């Protein structure tokens, strides 16, 4: 199978971020499907597209007649009056190589045979490296920072015989970003003039949302987690979130039908001016609401730890809360930190939240304990509907979160944890250019046609990249022939097991990332853990065929 780096086509409607499990499915039933694999894609070009570069030319270097380190005070005094200006210099070029890594090119230009020593101070707690140069030399050295951030690299070149030195500095910033929980806080509501003019967003037009410098959110934000809700719809359409100053993507984040109110969580880059755009891709005006859950910066904060989905709450069985449906306008609190692999120091948690058997229309709101319920909604539902959505929510001081039923009648609630953010988590976020991984409709890339019922596609995304811990993927199902759901899970088999035929059929998943009914096209963004093998499975949990499209938009990388 060939692979190419392309943007998603207009036919592919990519949607809001999903760490989502849906309704549990029996794990002991017969499996009638088949498995097909996708060759490990070459992600190098996509990964390199967002790597910053830095330079400090030789003209920026500072020359000194002061003695080399270790020279006596008497020699220093003499050097100030008698030493000639150095005849050598040094230029610096740096480039980010990973979420935490920097590659530094040091170009020393000296006289032939001149003996020089070079010392690199990487700017992180006195970590230094040294090497010798005879005349001129270009040396490239890697360095890995323990934390994301901005660092000052200082390179000193010394001629101890002449008692002179040349110093050049280079400010570098790692490519990875850490997460800071914030809110949930409403930044935009066009119904009431919050964050924008009080009127609907016109068709085929954007509304700008201020992120950087808004409230307690600092300038220099690289990306933001927003719960975007569309309401007041009179036609079908979609909403696309993208960075201010960037081109409008051909993907979407929220898809809606006439009369629907639809929320989706999105992670979107922030423009250099601190804004993001929300584009109404429908042919009628709509109201848009945006609630911030947190933001990413190059400053050390909370990294991400992905997990296989772990069930924390199920009101049907009494897991994590009282047994029985959550009453209308009722709230329950549940412990998150310190349980089932979630770190005790977690600052925020990534959830799959599912509502099922609701007895009226309504919505769920998830928020940290110790706070009042915000006006935001995370999952909107209609009577009798089973629907899942993803949530990133700060954890309260006691390690708990709250879930409120905003409907007037009871509903069952399921909460699965799929990852958490903490100061000791080492994976930082990196966006990429859109990269098509799979389209089962494309016969030039895929030989097997639609994905059969109860079958799965395995994808060895992490086989070439052992430091990748998770991927931000747009998944879209279309041409659906039966009701069902898509489950994205780590595979216990390695790439080598599949290549050599000793793979085993993986356990059937019990969580979902998006749910559909017959004939519907449903997109969602999935944050997929690479697990222990680097192989990720995409399961068709229905009895009918579907077409599946998968695009990559970012990934988490550890140090």
């Amino acid at each position: 199978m060939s692979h190419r780096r392309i943007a998603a086509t207009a036919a592919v409607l990519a949607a809001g971020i999903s760490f989502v499990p849906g309704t549990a499915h029996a794990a002991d039933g017969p499996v009638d499907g088949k498995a097909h694999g996708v060759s490990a894609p070459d992600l190098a070009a996509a990964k390199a597209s967002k790597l910053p570069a830095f330079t400090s030319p030789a003209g920026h270097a500072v020359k000194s007649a002061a003695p080399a380190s270790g020279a006596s005070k008497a020699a220093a005094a003499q050097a100030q009056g008698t030493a000639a200006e150095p005849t050598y210099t040094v230029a610096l070029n740096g480039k980010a190589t990973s979420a935490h890594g920097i590659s530094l090119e040091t170009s020393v230009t000296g006289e032939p045979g001149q003996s020089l020593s070079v010392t690199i101070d990487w700017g992180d707690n006195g970590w230094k490296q040294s090497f010798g140069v005879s005349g001129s030399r270009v040396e490239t050295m890697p360095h890995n920072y323990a934390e994301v951030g901005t660092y000052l690299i200082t390179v000193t070149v010394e001629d101890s015989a002449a008692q002179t030195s040349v110093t050049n500095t280079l400010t570098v910033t790692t490519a990875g970003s850490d997460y800071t929980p914030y809110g949930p806080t409403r930044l935009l509501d066009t119904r009431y003039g919050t964050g924008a003019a009080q009127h609907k967003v016109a068709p085929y037009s954007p509304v700008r949302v201020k992120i950087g410098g808004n409230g307690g959110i600092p300038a220099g934000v690289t990306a933001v987690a927003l719960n975007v809700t569309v309401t007041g719809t009179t036609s079908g359409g979609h909403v696309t979130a993208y960075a201010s100053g960037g081109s409008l993507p051909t993907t979407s984040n929220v898809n809606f039908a006439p009369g629907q109110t639809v929320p989706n969580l999105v992670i979107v880059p922030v423009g250099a001016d601190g804004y993001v755009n929300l584009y109404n891709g429908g042919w009628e005006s709509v109201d848009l609401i945006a609630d911030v859950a947190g933001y990413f910066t190059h400053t050390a904060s909370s990294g991400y730890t992905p997990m296989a989905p772990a069930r924390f709450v199920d009101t049907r069985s009494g897991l994590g809360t009282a047994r029985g449906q959550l009453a209308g306008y009722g709230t329950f609190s549940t412990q998150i930190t310190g349980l089932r692999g979630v770190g005790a120091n977690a600052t925020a948690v990534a959830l799959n939240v599912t509502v099922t058997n609701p007895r009226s229309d309504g919505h769920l709101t998830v928020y940290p304990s110790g706070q009042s319920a915000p006006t935001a909604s995370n999952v909107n539902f209609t009577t009798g509907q089973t629907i899942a959505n993803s949530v990133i929510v700060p954890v309260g001081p006691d390690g708990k979160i709250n879930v409120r039923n905003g409907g007037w009648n009871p509903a069952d609630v399921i909460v699965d944890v799929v990852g958490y953010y903490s100061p000791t988590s080492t994976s930082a976020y990196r966006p990429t250019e859109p990269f098509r991984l799979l389209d089962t409709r494309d016969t030039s890339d895929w030989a097997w046609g639609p994905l059969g019922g109860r079958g799965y596609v395995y994808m060895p995304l992490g086989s070439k990249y052992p430091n990748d811990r998770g991927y931000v993927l747009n998944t879209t199902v279309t041409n659906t022939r039966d009701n069902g759901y898509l489950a994205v899970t780590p595979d216990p088999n390695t790439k080598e097991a599949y290549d050599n035929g000793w793979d085993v059929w993986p356990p059937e998943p019990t969580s979902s990332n998006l749910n559909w009914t017959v004939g519907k096209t449903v997109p969602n963004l999935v944050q997929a853990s690479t697990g222990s093998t680097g192989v990720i499975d995409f399961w068709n949990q229905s009895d009918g065929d579907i077409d599946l499209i998968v695009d990559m938009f970012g990934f988490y990388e550890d140090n």
Side-chain angles (χ1 to χ4, degrees):
M1 176 177 176
S2 62
H3 293 271
R4 59 191 183 275
R5 180 171 168 263
I6 59 174
T9 64
V12 180
L13 303 178
I17 188 163
S18 169
F19 302 84
V20 188
T23 312
H25 184 80
D28 54 356
V31 177
D32 300 322
K34 295 181 179 179
H36 295 295
V38 175
S39 301
D42 184 1
L43 303 178
K47 287 186 164 206
S49 63
K50 299 291 185 179
L51 292 173
F54 318 93
T55 186
S56 182
H60 290 176
V62 177
K63 298 182 177 182
S64 173
S69 59
S72 66
K73 291 185 179 180
Q78 181 180 4
Q80 294 295 333
T82 63
E85 186 175 272
T87 58
Y88 52 93
T89 190
V90 59
L92 305 177
N93 291 286
K95 185 174 183 178
T97 57
S98 65
H100 299 84
I102 295 289
S103 176
L104 177 68
E105 179 189 86
T106 303
S107 300
V108 177
T109 303
E111 300 291 338
Q114 187 176 24
S115 180
L116 303 170
S117 63
V118 180
T119 300
I120 303 174
D121 185 337
W122 292 98
D124 51 348
N125 300 319
W127 181 264
K128 297 181 180 180
Q129 289 177 277
S130 299
F131 58 91
V133 172
S134 178
S136 299
R137 178 177 172 182
V138 177
E139 181 75 21
T140 301
M141 303 186 74
H143 186 69
N144 212 46
Y145 291 100
E147 296 281 2
V148 300
T150 298
Y151 297 88
L152 179 67
I153 299 174
T154 302
V155 177
T156 302
V157 183
E158 294 181 322
D159 183 338
S160 57
Q163 297 183 350
T164 59
S165 65
V166 174
T167 300
N168 203 348
T169 60
L170 183 67
T171 299
V172 299
T173 300
T174 58
S177 295
D178 272 3
Y179 184 76
T180 299
Y182 186 90
T185 302
R186 183 145 294 175
L187 299 184
L188 173 74
D189 192 335
T190 59
R191 300 172 302 176
Y192 307 113
T194 302
Q198 187 180 355
H199 59 70
K200 286 188 172 183
V201 181
Y204 310 115
S205 300
V207 61
R208 282 162 51 85
V209 183
K210 183 175 177 59
I211 305 297
N214 190 350
I217 304 175
V221 172
T222 60
V224 64
L226 291 175
N227 198 56
V228 177
T229 303
V230 59
T231 191
T233 59
T234 55
S235 70
H238 66 271
V239 176
T240 298
Y242 63 103
S244 174
S247 299
L248 175 66
T250 55
T251 56
S252 71
N253 297 96
V254 186
N255 290 71
F256 56 87
Q260 278 191 321
T261 295
V262 184
N264 260 320
L265 188 68
V266 304
I267 292 180
V268 58
V270 178
D273 60 0
Y275 283 81
V276 300
N277 293 332
L278 300 180
Y279 178 84
N280 174 17
W283 54 90
E284 298 286 348
S285 298
V286 298
D287 277 309
L288 291 178
I289 304 163
D291 301 296
V292 62
Y295 56 87
F296 293 85
T297 66
H298 289 306
T299 302
S301 184
S302 291
Y304 183 61
T305 298
M307 299 168 50
R311 184 141 296 174
F312 273 56
V313 173
D314 191 336
T315 59
R316 300 169 301 179
S317 64
L319 175 65
T321 188
R323 184 175 180 177
Q325 291 192 311
L326 177 61
Y329 306 117
T331 300
F332 68 77
S333 179
T334 191
Q335 183 72 34
I336 295 293
T337 61
L339 297 178
R340 301 179 186 90
V342 177
N345 62 343
T347 58
V349 63
L351 307 173
N352 291 329
V353 179
T354 304
V355 61
T356 191
N357 306 316
R359 300 184 185 179
S360 66
D361 296 354
H363 66 271
L364 297 181
T365 298
V366 187
Y367 60 101
S369 65
Q371 298 184 13
S372 300
T375 56
S377 66
N378 298 101
V379 184
N380 289 60
F381 52 86
T382 57
T383 303
Q385 185 181 27
T386 295
I387 187 171
N389 203 1
S390 64
V391 177
I392 304 175
V393 61
V395 178
D398 57 359
K400 297 181 179 180
I401 62 168
N402 294 336
V403 179
R404 180 178 185 270
N405 179 8
W408 55 90
N409 279 319
D412 279 309
V413 178
I414 303 163
V415 178
D416 291 334
V417 174
V418 299
Y420 64 91
Y421 298 87
S422 76
T424 53
S425 299
T426 59
S427 296
Y429 180 66
R430 285 181 55 194
T432 67
E433 294 295 335
F435 187 92
R436 173 64 48 81
L437 296 171
L438 173 67
D439 187 342
T440 60
R441 304 167 303 176
D442 185 351
T443 57
S444 66
D445 262 6
W446 181 256
W448 294 283
L451 177 58
R454 307 301 168 187
Y456 72 93
V457 174
Y458 61 88
M459 196 175 293
L461 283 178
S463 61
K464 293 182 179 179
Y465 305 98
N467 292 105
D468 290 359
R469 293 293 175 258
Y471 292 92
V472 177
L473 307 172
N474 278 331
T475 57
T476 303
V477 295
T478 190
N479 301 320
T480 53
R481 295 160 178 83
D482 191 13
N483 299 340
Y485 65 90
L486 182 76
V488 184
T489 60
D491 192 319
N493 297 293
T494 63
K495 178 180 181 297
E496 290 72 23
Y498 280 112
D499 290 344
N500 293 284
W502 62 67
D503 56 285
V504 298
W505 191 264
E508 189 176 359
T510 57
S511 61
S512 76
N513 294 88
L514 58 87
N515 297 64
W516 68 80
T517 55
V518 176
K520 297 296 184 180
T521 295
V522 182
N524 223 336
L525 199 73
V526 175
Q527 196 140 328
S529 169
T530 59
S532 61
T533 67
V535 181
I536 299 170
D537 293 337
F538 299 80
W539 291 80
N540 173 10
Q541 292 297 80
S542 74
D543 292 323
D545 292 352
I546 63 169
D547 276 309
L548 174 65
I549 304 101
V550 181
D551 295 293
M552 189 180 89
F553 285 86
F555 61 101
Y556 286 96
E557 187 178 42
D558 70 15
N559 57 358

